[in-house]
Amino acid sequence: MVVALRLALLAALSLPAAARAQDAHKIVEQYVKATGGSKALSHVRTMTLQGTATVEGAQEGMTGTFTLETKLPNRYYFEVVNGDKGVIEAYNGKSAWRERRPGPPETLLGDEGAEMEAAAQIANSRLLDLKKNKLQVAYAGTAPVRGRDAVQLEVVTASGVRRQVYFDAQSHLLVKESATVGGVNREILYSDYRAEAGIQVPHQIDMQTGAESCRIVLTRVAVNEAVAERVFDFPRKSQAPLPDLKVLFKQLEENQKAIDKVKENYAGTRAEENTEYEGDGRVKKHETAEYTFFYLEGEEISTQVKKDGKPLSEEERKKEAARVKKRIEEVQAQAAKKEAKKEAKEAKDAKNKEEGKEDKDKDDDDVGIDVFLRTSQFVNPRRERFRGQDVLVFDFEGNPDYKPRNMGERIVQKLAGVVWVDENARDVARLEAYFTSDAKIGGGLLLNLQRGTGFVFEQAYLNNEVWLPIYEEAHVGVRFLLVKGVRALQITRYSDYKRFHVESLSQVAAPKPQ
């Protein structure tokens, strides 16, 4: 109650939103100047920090070595090691991973992976060029840090991760960061700043994660020293041979039709949350919706049943039923057209083969598996357990040596991320991807998907027969017609899967359980 009252008083006495946003940018400018200035900071390509680390709490009394390495644009490596014990966390621009020694390394998912990506982005940007780096800052008030007044800002990344940062009111240097990772609070305190290569670097770092604390004292700082890309990659000793991707992806593509037929035996519930944000990261609009759904010809047929937590009215239900009926008819018509087109193409291919001709009638902008194989490169293969299944995991990013031939290839080449594949079921269990640069459609005149726009797609293996969606997440930064810019987060959760059969699709009704 005291905290709530304090926040209310701060809000009542604070400036209007536009002024607060301006103040936030001014505070960042003061920090940049105090740290060495934008010119000096912009010249930092890599940074290596080394020292000693004393851990208390869960691993009381452990003293070992500390290493932190960053490299533009978004590489990050953190290590605290004492002999055969310790922890390593890293982000390589495609995926985040952790190794808790003596255990094996693992790919980080969810909040932990997103937080590691955010740490990499913030550390490398050094809060320069906020707009270019897709970072929003907002004034959050004042708070004491180690007995001194500090100004608090909230930093929001393109993927929606929020981190609280605190700057000393007098020196303007960064003195504290805080975040919540997987429900656990983490605080990092910075002190003992000294000049290194023209910029101020804290030589003492105190970290508190849950009940565990760690004090780091730096003994070496290196700026723009060569740092190999392999430093950030998943440990090679844990990597597995990568199978023939052309064969693997072809199997995935060919298996999709069989998967679509199995999916038609299932129905479930889908819940959506859509949040749109202001430029400073504040929530502009939040909407929720709930649907029931089943699958038809590989397509999800959904019927909305709730809006913002309330059941639809009678009139809304009638409109929804009419819409779904029309959608079913469209899907059936599209399936028939597709089948006819397939038969015609098979006949044409057979004729061309007989006459020794090559088929040049192809859709250049069709984004299929072959497009990913041409435009991307695949690295860091490893085998892990995911939702009780053995899966192959590998990172991917655009191949800089490939010259894209059409819009589809240009868009796919801008993607980077990580994918989990069940080789036995021949399906994708999880996919994370984001745009490494703006993806412009119509030269940016029609649509511009901004750098950092990303998505997560996750499935679960049900009844030992099929992977079905359980979670989707999309962080979207987009500009329409060079005018309207939108930043939004959409989260979709799938649940309550049941087996069913549809007696007739001429009438729209809830699927009947078997």
Side-chain angles (χ1 to χ4, degrees), residues 90-275:
Y91 182 74
N92 59 27
K94 300 170 283 293
S95 65
W97 57 271
R98 174 190 293 136
E99 181 179 359
R100 291 191 184 276
R101 296 182 175 177
E106 59 180 352
T107 305
L108 296 180
L109 308 178
D111 291 344
E112 291 184 314
E115 180 63 32
M116 188 61 59
E117 178 188 1
Q121 183 183 10
I122 294 173
N124 280 282
S125 73
R126 294 173 175 81
L127 298 185
L128 292 173
D129 299 323
L130 296 175
K131 185 176 181 180
K132 177 183 176 182
N133 288 300
K134 313 301 181 186
L135 296 173
Q136 277 95 27
V137 293
Y139 177 77
T142 59
V145 176
R146 285 178 166 167
R148 293 174 58 90
D149 292 336
V151 181
Q152 178 183 352
L153 298 185
E154 181 176 68
V155 180
V156 185
T157 69
S159 59
V161 174
R162 297 174 180 271
R163 176 170 289 197
Q164 307 301 312
V165 293
Y166 302 77
F167 302 94
D168 186 87
Q170 297 300 318
S171 69
H172 307 300
L173 293 171
L174 178 66
V175 290
K176 177 182 173 181
E177 289 185 77
S178 66
T180 301
V181 184
V184 178
N185 293 326
R186 174 180 291 177
E187 290 190 349
I188 308 174
L189 298 172
Y190 302 96
S191 59
D192 190 18
Y193 275 88
R194 306 177 199 171
E196 299 279 0
I199 62 175
Q200 292 293 321
V201 178
H203 282 61
Q204 180 172 309
I205 304 170
D206 293 285
M207 301 180 63
Q208 182 79 36
T209 304
E212 184 176 287
S213 62
C214 175
R215 169 160 291 185
I216 296 164
V217 177
L218 298 188
T219 56
R220 178 175 180 268
V221 176
V223 178
N224 291 335
E225 185 178 80
V227 177
E229 193 71 13
R230 64 176 179 271
V231 168
F232 311 96
D233 285 340
F234 201 87
R236 290 191 177 277
K237 65 178 182 293
S238 300
Q239 292 187 19
L242 194 63
D244 187 324
L245 290 181
K246 187 173 183 179
V247 174
L248 176 62
F249 285 175
K250 184 174 178 59
Q251 290 175 341
L252 296 181
E253 194 170 40
E254 291 175 345
N255 194 46
Q256 191 57 52
K257 189 171 183 179
I259 292 172
D260 289 343
K261 295 307 293 183
V262 176
K263 287 168 68 174
E264 291 187 3
N265 295 325
Y266 289 86
T269 300
R270 187 178 90 240
E272 289 184 356
E273 292 182 48
N274 294 285
T275 307

Side-chain angles (χ1 to χ4, degrees), residues 310-506:
K310 299 179 180 179
L312 299 186
S313 65
E314 182 63 29
E315 182 179 352
E316 288 174 327
R317 286 199 297 270
K318 288 180 180 179
K319 288 182 179 179
E320 184 67 2
R323 182 195 66 80
V324 175
K325 185 174 186 297
K326 181 179 179 182
R327 177 60 181 153
I328 290 173
E329 293 169 350
E330 289 174 347
V331 170
Q332 291 174 325
Q334 289 170 359
K337 184 177 180 181
K338 186 177 180 180
E339 185 62 27
K341 184 178 180 180
K342 178 183 177 183
E343 292 176 356
K345 187 176 187 308
E346 289 176 348
K348 183 179 179 181
D349 289 345
K351 184 178 179 181
N352 286 337
K353 185 176 181 180
E354 183 179 337
E355 297 177 357
K357 296 180 180 179
E358 181 181 355
D359 182 16
K360 298 182 180 180
D361 185 17
K362 297 179 181 179
D363 185 355
D364 287 340
D365 286 333
D366 182 34
V367 180
I369 293 296
D370 57 328
V371 173
F372 279 89
L373 288 172
R374 287 196 301 270
T375 63
S376 303
Q377 52 190 13
F378 304 89
V379 295
N380 299 324
R382 61 264 193 194
R383 298 192 184 278
E384 298 184 14
R385 293 286 287 177
F386 179 78
R387 297 197 173 276
Q389 304 297 317
D390 292 320
V391 295
L392 171 67
V393 187
F394 52 86
D395 300 335
F396 66 91
E397 61 186 347
N399 182 356
D401 297 327
Y402 181 78
K403 303 298 181 184
R405 301 176 300 184
N406 52 62
M407 183 180 69
E409 291 188 348
R410 285 194 295 272
I411 290 176
V412 173
Q413 193 180 36
K414 295 177 183 293
L415 287 172
V418 56
V419 62
W420 290 252
V421 175
D422 185 335
E423 293 178 89
N424 293 326
R426 289 178 294 171
D427 201 0
V428 173
R430 182 181 172 94
L431 172 69
E432 295 181 10
Y434 73 98
F435 284 97
T436 58
S437 60
D438 290 358
K440 298 179 180 181
I441 298 176
L445 296 175
L446 297 177
L447 185 69
N448 182 9
L449 284 169
Q450 298 174 359
R451 179 169 63 92
T453 292
F455 53 89
V456 175
F457 171 69
E458 184 173 321
Q459 302 198 109
Y461 199 56
L462 298 184
N463 294 332
N464 202 34
E465 69 169 342
V466 65
W467 287 91
L468 292 176
I470 60 170
Y471 184 81
E472 295 174 2
E473 180 180 308
H475 297 270
V476 181
V478 63
R479 184 173 293 277
F480 301 96
L481 301 174
L482 295 178
V483 178
K484 184 180 180 183
V486 175
R487 195 171 72 82
L489 167 65
Q490 183 180 75
I491 293 177
T492 305
R493 294 180 174 87
Y494 296 81
S495 60
D496 300 328
Y497 278 106
K498 297 179 177 65
R499 293 182 65 89
F500 81 102
H501 66 274
V502 179
E503 293 180 350
S504 173
L505 290 177
S506 62

